[in-house]
Amino acid sequence: MADNDDKNTPDPATPGFDPKPVTLGGESIVDRLMPYRKKIGLAILLGFAVWAVIAVVFYIRNNKREKNTAKIAQVLDVANRQVQAPDPVPTPPDPNDTTKKPITYATNKERAEAVLAEMQKTGASFSSAYRASLLIQAGKLDEAIAEYRKAQDSKLLDGVLAREGLGIALETKAQAEKDAAARQKGLEEALVVFQAMQPDEKGPRRAYALYHQGRILGLLGKTAEATEAFKKAKEQGGGEGALADQIEERLAGLGAS
């Protein structure tokens, strides 16, 4: 019996389970962390604060996008309205007709002015190129040129379209000049812009860039260079569709079809 008791009694030399904290160098890990508890707590709070700021930023961005989308929809609703010339002999309104008539505009200029006014009213964000195109339709060439210049340095398609629009605006302004020297200077400036419109031979709207160059060269009286530009435009993808017809018409006018 004594032997059994001896077996169940732990040997004092054998280490048993001790529920005390693990110690390193005479101190527990908890003891060592106690002096830094404020710093650790501050770091945790700071981490939550940073994530909170990020969450707020994402919320604000998404909220702005939603608001701007609604504003854009209002503007596009005006832009999509039809241009319809008034009847020479207007029909008297039918008092029994309760159908809501769609809003229309007499000219493209009138519609462009309405769209610009709606953009101003809502504060909707649109690209400079789109705003400039409306300004051209509204007859505000100087404002359109200023808007196109804002986007002309972009390497993307927006930049190509901005340079194309800028060239057209400069050409339009030059054509309105009564002074021959001012007209030629304006056309030469437009030519420079069209030459820079799409320098990549495989880039989008390359054929249009060459076509515009041909038109301006023709207006400047440089027939041979204009013919060469139109032929290159045809080779660069302008051999089909509406552009092809315009190129052929231009070449025929130069006697080179």
Side-chain angles (χ1 to χ4, degrees), residues 3-15:
D3 292 338
N4 291 336
D5 291 338
D6 291 338
K7 289 179 180 178
N8 294 328
T9 302
D11 186 345
T14 303

Side-chain angles (χ1 to χ4, degrees):
M1 190 71 179
D3 292 338
N4 291 336
D5 291 338
D6 291 338
K7 289 179 180 178
N8 294 328
T9 302
D11 186 345
T14 303
F17 173 73
D18 187 353
K20 294 179 181 179
V22 177
T23 60
L24 296 172
E27 293 180 299
S28 70
I29 293 177
V30 175
D31 291 335
R32 287 195 170 199
L33 293 177
M34 284 298 287
Y36 305 100
R37 64 185 182 280
K38 290 184 178 180
K39 292 183 178 179
I40 294 171
L42 183 61
I44 293 172
L45 289 174
L46 182 61
F48 280 118
V50 170
W51 280 110
V53 170
I54 293 173
V56 169
V57 170
F58 273 106
Y59 171 78
I60 291 173
R61 283 182 179 177
N62 289 333
N63 198 33
K64 283 183 177 179
R65 284 173 185 159
E66 289 177 5
K67 288 182 179 179
N68 192 52
T69 299
K71 293 175 182 178
I72 289 173
Q74 286 181 247
V75 174
L76 293 180
D77 179 62
V78 177
N80 289 330
R81 292 171 186 170
Q82 297 295 318
V83 173
Q84 184 177 337
D87 293 332
V89 182
T91 305
D94 183 356
N96 298 320
D97 187 2
T98 58
T99 305
K100 187 177 180 180
K101 304 298 183 193
I103 299 174
T104 60
Y105 298 102
T107 63
N108 286 315
K109 179 181 179 180
E110 185 181 325
R111 181 175 61 182
E113 289 173 343
V115 176
L116 288 167
E118 191 68 19
M119 289 171 64
Q120 179 70 24
K121 175 184 173 182
T122 62
S125 178
F126 282 88
S127 68
S128 293
Y130 179 67
R131 178 177 169 77
S133 68
L134 292 169
L135 288 167
I136 284 185
Q137 293 177 53
K140 300 177 180 180
L141 288 177
D142 289 332
E143 291 181 49
I145 289 169
E147 283 293 324
Y148 276 129
R149 290 193 190 280
K150 292 179 183 178
Q152 68 174 334
D153 294 330
S154 173
K155 303 297 182 183
L156 304 177
L157 179 58
D158 283 351
V160 176
L161 295 174
R163 290 189 290 276
E164 183 174 15
L166 176 59
I168 291 171
L170 291 170
E171 176 191 357
T172 304
K173 185 177 180 180
Q175 293 279 47
E177 293 285 356
K178 294 180 180 179
D179 180 69
R183 178 177 179 275
Q184 175 153 340
K185 181 180 178 181
L187 290 174
E188 288 173 349
E189 188 177 357
L191 178 60
V192 170
V193 173
F194 285 132
Q195 288 171 337
M197 174 184 157
Q198 180 51 277
D200 185 355
E201 292 189 0
K202 296 182 180 180
R205 298 191 72 78
R206 170 65 175 172
Y208 282 90
L210 292 166
Y211 170 73
H212 290 312
Q213 291 171 42
R215 288 192 308 99
I216 303 300
L217 288 165
L219 291 172
L220 290 170
K222 301 179 179 181
T223 305
E225 293 178 52
T227 301
E228 186 65 21
F230 286 131
K231 288 181 177 180
K232 285 183 179 179
K234 190 174 180 179
E235 293 172 1
Q236 290 289 331
E240 298 178 1
L243 180 59
D245 295 338
Q246 294 178 43
I247 291 173
E248 290 298 338
E249 185 179 338
R250 296 279 179 173
L251 286 171
L254 294 172
S257 59

